[in-house]
Amino acid sequence: MSEAGRIDEGFYSRQLYVLGHDAMHRMGKANVLIAGMRGLGVEIAKNVILSGVKSVTVQDEVQTVWADLSSQFFLKEAHLGQNRATCSLQQLSALNPHVLVKAHTGPLHDDLLRQFQVVVLTDSSLDDQKRFGDLCHSHGIQFIVADTRGLCGQLFCDFGEKFVVLDKDGEVPKSAMIQSITKGNPGEVFCTDDQKHGLRDGSKVSFSNVQGMTELNHIGPVEIRVRDQQYSFSIGDTSAFSEYERGGVVTEVKQPCMMSFKPLSEALLDHKLLTKNDYNTLHLAFQALHSFVKREGRLPCPRSKPDADALIAIVRQLNEVAQLEQLDEAAVRNLSYTAQGDLAPVNAFIGGLAAQEVIKACSGKFTPLQQWLYFDGLKCLPEEEDQLAESCFSARGTRYDGQIAVFGSAFQEKLERLKYFLVGAGAIGCELLKNFALIGLGAGEEGHITVTDMDFIERSNLNRQFLFRSGDIGKPKSEVAAKAVREMNPRINITPHQNRLDPDSEEVYDYNFFNGLDGVAAALDNVEARVYLDGLCVQHKKPMLEGGTLGSQGHTLVVVPHLTDSYGRVNSSSNKAIPLCTLKNFPHRIEHTLQWARDQFEGLFKQTPENLNLFLGDAGFIERTLGHGDAEALEVLGGVWSSLEDMNAGGQRPTSWEDCVTWARCKWETLYNNEIRQLLHCFPSGQVTSTGLPFWSGSKRCPHPLTFNPNNTTHMEYVVAAANLYGQINGVNGTRDCASIRKILEEVRVPSFSSQSSVKISATDEEMKAEKDRDSDDAEKARLEELKGKLASPSVKSSAMQMNPMDFEKDDDSNFHMDYIVAASNLRAENYNIPAVDRHQSKRIAGRIIPAIATTTAAVAGLMCLELYKLVQGHQKISSYRGAYFTLSVQHFVFSWPSPPKHFEVAGKKYTLWDDFLVEGRRGGQQEMTLGDLIQYLKEQYSLSITQLYYGQAAIYMGQEERHQKSVSDVVRMVTRKDIPPHKKMLELIPSFAEDEDSDSAPPIRYLLL
């Protein structure tokens, strides 16, 4: 939070879309104490500081030891022997300039805790947890306990007896358009069928813009009963209300709720508060660990059977009171074996969850944990019990001691030898790189990490991509991230690239590159890139770790060759394109008006200038444009000619700032008055369809034209933004001075407008397509010929100047881009009586911003690295792996086995997507085989007869015997009419076989050119 309580929207941009302004303001008043600065404590502190509370105090009395470096990413070897809190202070303070960070190196005491609104204990004794828990409960201080031991974690929350949750899930309030409302008791509301209302029984809603039954617009929130899960619900008595006519929007009104928590001393004995019954044993085991430490003065030794037996005995004793039906003694034994471990991935996951609970405590946003949560990653241990000696797990005085205590020294050496490819150095990428550095991935002589990211650091990244600082803005993400993790672990071998992963970078990420990898991690923000990377992993049979976030939701997936299914292909049905006729004439949601505004921006300030520049620099531009059809050619060439002609000669080219303002004012009139009047001329407000129903009903909202008013803020905002953008593309300097612009507007003469009966407006996409495909009439052909003649004149190009196309940039508040989008969208919303949205929400929708928060990112990266452990172990059972889907806002977690690969048959033999026919095209250094050789090879080796062969979309063989004598690569070149790049060492050929021509699938032939 910045001065005077103003939220720094540039810094908190993506997080604001998760939490909202009100929650952020409440957080900006909270002081938080985090006790314990080992790996878990610093993880929680990092996430809480990034989130934007008022202050964070980190407390620790202990000096740094080697084992701390296993997961405490702000400690270095130079800090050994120094206080952990003090050594972490500078790095923590640099995370967020709006948060005051302090260190306390003394012990915890009552007076200290009373200074805070939220207290978090990590690495604490059970006695301290009870004592300080009771204190916080009695003083209204939100209290959180977080702990990790090896592969297990624990979380506890006590937010007092009367904690108010203002928004249980953080979801955008549901809204729907109204089709009709009946008079009755109860009245029934029917919504339009273009989108399900999504409301639940007992939800409260408000009404707006209802015509006819206007009484609903003025009453408070109404409780509903859902009649139809999709499109209808009932409300109270509407029998005395006016008749419903048309229109209206129903919007969910979120209701606060009260929650009550028990203090830890009571909650310890209440097993109903456990999130899952499976974790009852861990609940007792963590208590038993505290008893063991209190008695022995230490944690159980790694792989010590006597210590494990002692811990199990304590758990059995505790169970005499708890009376659990079944104890998982194997889990207790493994907890004992690994309790001295300190693992970065486990701390990342539990630290993300704990920090999210801090945010809930400070903001009242989202549903807090009630009250215990346990987690274990014990599947990361070997599938078969190993017989390694205790000495293999003992401390060696290295930064990996906390990990060796769990997995042993041989495992550590294996991790260090691995070669991994990380795609993406954004939020998840930064967290993964931090974890990679801490666990020592690729940190040995043979090991290596390659990271690629084409993006450069922006200010909005700093709130969750924690390896970056304000001084890094404008620098390549991959380079800065690589440098940052070298600071964490100087032994890590890492090479940063700035390449986009796509076919253009195949020369870099080729067969040899992938062949040298042990695995791949995907930290990407779009499905298409994930699918492309997944395809490469399948092709080269490499495991892939994948994760993603959407606000407080996260998911992880592990892809294991031959064992699991792959990530898969893009599901085209998931892309919900807005129908063109909706955008052009019949919007009914703010998303429609914002997309329309984006289209206006692209057309006016990007496409038209680009077309003019192409005309000036490309002799074939006109002919290519004519090839797209007369309708498109008229629009494009007309725009080019208008941009060449000065405004005083009837064109659109400005010669002064006054011309830009005039253009903007006239464009306003065209969009918000003239075109609406023409639409209403074609479809009057009282028009009925052929079936007798009102044309303007349901999702078709009847618009009304606007009248320009220079004293209306939104009207002026449009003119200011449009005029400045028009000036920028034409090289004319503008101004934000509204007073001077109003003076210019007084002199603008807006052309008069009359609706035309000859104009046809399409009511459906089908009509729109038919109109586009129809043959042009004589007048249009004559106009096109006239344009061709004008543009063919040599003098046109000689006197013309290039324009400056605009690429939409949502995060620069000085460039007028979002100014234009917000004003253009909200004016159109006013045309159609659609509720307007503010700049913040407009930016999210128009900029297609993915809401993001550091807590979810940390948790996802932690789970991904736990699956990495399993890959390193070489697990062969699909039941050992886990995919995850979770929602931190409501503490909902689903862990599931990955899906196995689907089988298909060819000639009676089963295959999966991981199978192929690998063929060396130049065996033993000989001359490349011919197509006939390839056909013969498949027949001899696999008893399969090739009848057809495809390379991409090209059919390179359909039985043509004359091609048998040509080399395979020559056949590919001949059919595709393209050279095979020298770097391409593998051709993927898709065959059909005579033995099973009806099969929809067949393993590809991977033909090597080595």
Side-chain angles (χ1 to χ4, degrees):
M1 200 72 63
S2 56
E3 306 94 34
R6 186 179 63 83
I7 296 173
D8 184 345
E9 292 192 0
F11 184 83
Y12 293 114
S13 168
R14 306 308 186 255
Q15 181 179 287
L16 274 166
Y17 294 115
V18 182
L19 298 176
H21 285 76
D22 291 343
M24 286 286 297
H25 277 297
R26 290 189 290 272
M27 285 170 56
K29 300 173 184 176
N31 300 299
V32 180
L33 172 66
I34 300 172
M37 276 297 106
R38 297 184 71 205
L40 178 59
V42 79
E43 183 70 48
I44 297 170
K46 177 255 292 181
N47 295 330
V48 171
I49 291 166
L50 289 172
S51 74
V53 296
K54 182 179 180 180
S55 76
V56 171
T57 298
V58 293
Q59 180 274 341
D60 202 312
E61 300 176 74
V62 182
Q63 279 67 50
T64 305
V65 296
W66 274 112
D68 294 329
L69 273 61
S70 296
S71 67
Q72 220 285 24
F73 43 86
F74 285 153
L75 294 180
K76 303 176 183 178
E77 293 180 21
H79 293 141
L80 292 169
Q82 300 177 46
N83 180 274
R84 295 187 297 212
T86 304
C87 293
S88 306
L89 183 62
Q90 183 179 352
Q91 292 269 44
L92 287 170
S93 298
L95 290 171
N96 189 339
H98 305 304
V99 177
L100 176 63
V101 184
K102 296 180 284 188
H104 179 80
T105 57
L108 295 175
H109 54 83
D110 293 7
D111 290 341
L112 176 68
L113 268 64
R114 290 192 189 100
Q115 300 172 29
F116 300 94
Q117 285 73 53
V118 183
V119 170
V120 183
L121 298 189
T122 71
D123 196 27
S124 55
S125 69
L126 185 58
D127 289 342
D128 279 352
Q129 292 172 13
K130 291 178 179 177
R131 173 191 160 197
F132 294 124
D134 287 344
L135 173 80
C136 290
H137 189 86
S138 63
H139 285 80
I141 300 168
Q142 276 73 59
F143 180 68
I144 296 170
V145 172
D147 209 356
T148 60
R149 296 295 173 194
L151 286 161
C152 299
Q154 173 195 55
L155 188 59
F156 170 79
C157 293
D158 169 17
F159 291 178
E161 295 177 11
K162 294 182 179 180
F163 183 78
V164 177
V165 178
L166 299 170
D167 183 349
K168 289 191 285 188
D169 56 16
E171 297 292 325
V172 176
K174 306 288 191 302
S175 69
M177 289 193 61
I178 297 168
Q179 177 79 41
S180 64
I181 306 174
T182 64
K183 289 181 69 172
N185 187 12
E188 191 154 2
V189 179
F190 295 89
C191 300
T192 56
D193 60 4
D194 69 311
Q195 190 170 348
K196 298 175 184 178
H197 58 63
L199 296 166
R200 297 177 182 175
D201 218 39
S203 296
K204 292 195 174 183
V205 299
S206 64
F207 293 85
S208 60
N209 296 320
V210 175
Q211 296 181 38
M213 197 179 284
T214 56
E215 294 90 343
L216 285 174
N217 297 330
H218 308 294
I219 62 176
V222 179
E223 187 170 322
I224 69 165
R225 288 285 172 264
V226 175
R227 293 288 183 89
D228 182 310
Q229 291 297 324
Q230 297 181 348
Y231 304 110
S232 70
F233 56 86
S234 63
I235 53 178
D237 188 356
T238 61
S239 56
F241 291 173
S242 308
E243 287 287 341
Y244 173 82
E245 293 178 6
R246 67 183 178 199
V249 175
V250 60
T251 305
E252 179 186 16
V253 179
K254 296 258 182 135
Q255 299 295 305
C257 68
M258 185 84 73
M259 295 181 68
S260 180
F261 295 78
K262 293 182 178 181
L264 184 140
S265 54
E266 293 181 26
L268 270 174
L269 306 175
D270 190 346
H271 289 258
K272 294 177 183 177
L273 296 176
L274 292 169
T275 53
K276 286 178 65 177
N277 291 333
D278 298 356
Y279 290 134
N280 279 317
T281 297
L282 279 181
H283 185 62
L284 298 183
F286 266 81
Q287 294 176 58
L289 267 181
H290 287 293
S291 297
F292 185 99
V293 172
K294 193 172 183 179
R295 186 179 71 194
E296 304 291 337
R298 61 173 175 82
L299 285 163
C301 292
R303 296 300 176 104
S304 169
K305 189 176 184 301
D307 284 357
D309 291 341
L311 192 68
I312 291 172
I314 300 172
V315 169
R316 288 172 179 166
Q317 188 176 357
L318 289 170
N319 195 40
E320 290 177 7
V321 176
Q323 293 291 302
L324 300 185
E325 291 183 11
Q326 190 171 2
L327 286 176
D328 185 353
E329 293 192 358
V332 179
R333 184 170 297 279
N334 282 324
L335 173 62
S336 178
Y337 283 169
T338 60
Q340 283 197 17
D342 188 20
L343 300 176
V346 178
N347 288 332
F349 179 66
I350 297 296
L353 271 58
Q356 189 69 54
E357 296 306 307
V358 174
I359 291 170
K360 295 174 186 178
C362 297
S363 67
K365 182 103 174 193
F366 305 141
T367 304
L369 171 67
Q370 274 202 306
Q371 290 187 253
W372 294 101
L373 179 142
Y374 287 91
F375 170 81
D376 81 79
L378 295 173
K379 289 289 185 183
C380 296
L381 295 172
E383 288 177 324
E384 306 299 331
E385 189 172 348
D386 57 54
Q387 303 300 318
L388 294 175
E390 287 182 36
S391 59
C392 296
F393 302 87
S394 59
R396 284 160 168 70
T398 74
R399 64 182 307 115
Y400 307 119
D401 280 355
Q403 190 162 257
I404 290 172
V406 176
F407 298 115
S409 54
F411 179 91
Q412 184 61 49
E413 291 166 7
K414 188 175 181 182
L415 257 178
E416 294 174 37
R417 290 194 298 268
L418 295 180
K419 297 178 178 67
Y420 256 74
F421 182 31
L422 172 61
V423 186
I428 293 176
C430 282
E431 293 287 342
L432 284 174
L433 282 174
K434 174 255 291 179
N435 292 341
F436 290 171
L438 293 169
I439 68 177
L441 179 72
E445 288 186 10
E446 300 172 33
H448 191 266
I449 296 171
T450 303
V451 56
T452 189
D453 194 307
M454 55 173 286
D455 287 340
F456 294 85
I457 297 165
E458 301 174 357
R459 190 158 184 271
S460 62
N461 301 147
L462 304 182
N463 174 238
R464 65 204 184 282
Q465 299 174 22
F466 86 107
L467 297 180
F468 309 145
R469 303 290 179 267
S470 57
D472 299 322
I473 293 173
K475 297 177 183 177
K477 285 186 177 181
S478 58
E479 286 187 5
V480 175
K483 181 181 177 183
V485 294
R486 285 193 202 102
E487 290 284 320
M488 291 180 183
N489 184 353
R491 295 171 180 80
I492 194 168
N493 302 307
I494 184 168
T495 302
H497 293 174
Q498 286 85 54
N499 301 315
R500 182 196 294 272
L501 191 74
D502 61 13
D504 291 339
S505 61
E506 279 184 357
E507 186 172 356
V508 181
Y509 309 117
D510 58 7
Y511 174 80
N512 291 330
F513 175 82
F514 270 90
N515 228 28
L517 294 175
D518 292 294
V520 173
L524 294 156
D525 61 0
N526 67 88
V527 172
E528 290 75 14
R530 290 181 176 113
V531 170
Y532 180 76
L533 179 58
D534 176 65
L536 292 174
C537 289
V538 171
Q539 189 177 89
H540 297 93
K541 298 181 175 59
K542 299 299 177 185
M544 182 177 80
L545 302 162
E546 191 274 326
T549 70
L550 177 63
S552 67
Q553 299 175 359
H555 79 267
T556 64
L557 175 75
V558 58
V559 175
V560 187
H562 303 290
L563 190 63
T564 74
D565 204 351
S566 70
Y567 179 84
R569 297 176 180 169
V570 178
N571 182 2
S572 59
S573 65
S574 64
N575 298 323
K576 298 179 181 178
I578 303 171
L580 289 176
C581 67
T582 299
L583 285 177
K584 192 170 177 60
N585 299 314
F586 310 114
H588 54 271
R589 303 179 69 86
I590 198 66
E591 290 84 356
H592 302 158
T593 66
L594 281 163
Q595 183 59 54
W596 175 86
R598 271 296 302 270
D599 293 346
Q600 288 289 318
F601 181 97
E602 296 293 322
L604 295 170
F605 309 121
K606 186 177 193 313
Q607 290 167 4
T608 296
E610 284 179 345
N611 288 338
L612 182 132
N613 293 347
L614 283 170
F615 165 73
L616 295 178
D618 183 350
F621 172 74
I622 292 180
E623 286 305 315
R624 279 202 315 276
T625 303
L626 291 170
H628 295 159
D630 288 356
E632 185 174 335
L634 260 176
E635 183 180 351
V636 171
L637 297 183
V640 168
W641 176 251
S642 293
S643 300
L644 290 167
E645 280 275 271
D646 289 349
M647 290 179 70
N648 56 17
Q652 298 289 318
R653 182 107 189 177
T655 58
S656 66
W657 170 238
E658 287 75 13
D659 283 350
C660 295
V661 174
T662 299
W663 175 88
R665 172 65 184 88
C666 292
K667 180 59 70 175
W668 190 102
E669 195 71 17
T670 298
L671 295 175
Y672 304 111
N673 184 284
N674 300 350
E675 290 186 356
I676 300 299
R677 287 163 60 191
Q678 181 65 57
L679 179 63
L680 289 171
H681 179 80
C682 295
F683 303 109
S685 62
Q687 179 153 327
V688 295
T689 65
S690 57
T691 58
L693 295 174
F695 178 85
W696 294 106
S697 63
S699 61
K700 285 189 172 69
R701 303 174 72 96
C702 186
H704 64 276
L706 305 183
T707 302
F708 184 78
N709 178 1
N711 295 315
N712 182 297
T713 302
T714 310
H715 294 196
M716 280 300 292
E717 284 173 347
Y718 178 91
V719 171
V720 172
N724 275 279
L725 288 169
Y726 203 60
Q728 289 173 25
I729 64 173
N730 287 287
V732 177
N733 292 327
T735 179
R736 286 184 180 272
D737 182 8
C738 287
S740 66
I741 294 173
R742 283 193 183 92
K743 285 187 177 180
I744 298 172
L745 288 173
E746 290 174 2
E747 305 300 322
V748 174
R749 296 292 171 260
V750 179
S752 59
F753 173 80
S754 297
S755 301
Q756 303 293 314
S757 297
S758 59
V759 173
K760 185 180 186 307
I761 293 178
S762 302
T764 65
D765 275 13
E766 291 73 21
E767 289 181 14
M768 193 173 287
K769 185 177 185 303
E771 177 67 16
K772 184 179 179 181
D773 293 342
R774 71 170 176 82
D775 292 334
S776 53
D777 58 27
D778 292 342
E780 290 167 335
K781 288 182 184 295
R783 174 61 180 154
L784 197 55
E785 288 301 318
E786 180 188 3
L787 282 170
K788 286 166 60 179
K790 288 180 176 180
L791 293 172
S793 171
S795 61
V796 170
K797 288 189 177 182
S798 62
S799 60
M801 293 186 297
Q802 292 254 332
M803 294 178 73
N804 308 306
M806 294 285 161
D807 287 316
F808 178 66
E809 173 48 61
K810 60 187 175 294
D811 288 322
D812 181 353
D813 288 338
S814 67
N815 64 9
F816 294 100
H817 294 195
M818 278 309 303
D819 296 5
Y820 179 85
I821 296 293
V822 175
S825 169
N826 283 339
L827 286 168
R828 188 162 175 83
E830 187 180 348
N831 278 138
Y832 285 87
N833 292 312
I834 298 169
V837 294
D838 61 15
R839 183 187 185 92
H840 182 66
Q841 289 302 326
S842 295
K843 183 190 284 191
R844 177 183 66 82
I845 299 167
R848 302 179 182 96
I849 291 174
I850 300 173
I853 190 168
T855 50
T856 317
T857 305
V860 162
L863 291 177
M864 289 173 71
C865 288
L866 289 177
E867 297 308 300
L868 171 61
Y869 282 151
K870 298 172 186 177
L871 293 172
V872 179
Q873 294 278 22
H875 285 356
Q876 295 301 309
K877 299 176 182 176
I878 199 169
S879 59
S880 296
Y881 293 94
R882 292 290 181 273
Y885 173 81
F886 61 84
T887 307
L888 295 188
S889 60
V890 293
Q891 290 291 14
H892 173 71
F893 301 90
V894 176
F895 295 95
S896 59
W897 296 1
S899 299
K902 294 180 177 65
H903 289 84
F904 57 88
E905 283 194 18
V906 176
K909 186 177 179 181
K910 287 186 175 181
Y911 298 90
T912 75
L913 80 161
W914 294 104
D915 294 310
D916 60 18
F917 302 116
L918 194 64
V919 180
E920 293 183 28
R922 299 188 182 99
R923 284 172 291 174
Q926 298 176 2
Q927 188 175 2
E928 185 191 342
M929 65 168 54
T930 64
L931 180 58
D933 293 336
L934 176 63
I935 293 170
Q936 185 64 28
Y937 179 83
L938 266 289
K939 183 66 176 174
E940 291 175 357
Q941 296 295 318
Y942 302 101
S943 301
L944 293 170
S945 306
I946 296 175
T947 56
Q948 298 177 22
L949 209 52
Y950 290 84
Y951 177 69
Q953 299 297 315
I956 66 169
Y957 178 67
M958 302 289 282
Q960 303 98 322
E961 290 192 12
E962 65 272 16
R963 296 182 181 177
H964 282 206
Q965 304 308 312
K966 295 180 180 292
S967 71
V968 174
S969 58
D970 280 344
V971 173
V972 169
R973 290 187 192 95
M974 178 184 73
V975 175
T976 62
R977 299 180 182 179
K978 293 179 181 177
D979 282 335
I980 298 171
H983 66 266
K984 200 162 190 69
K985 305 299 183 187
M986 179 193 289
L987 303 180
E988 185 161 294
L989 310 174
I990 307 301
S992 286
F993 299 110
E995 290 76 9
D996 204 344
E997 288 188 319
D998 295 333
S999 177
D1000 293 333
S1001 301
I1005 297 170
R1006 296 203 165 108
Y1007 182 80
L1008 301 180
L1009 294 169
L1010 300 175

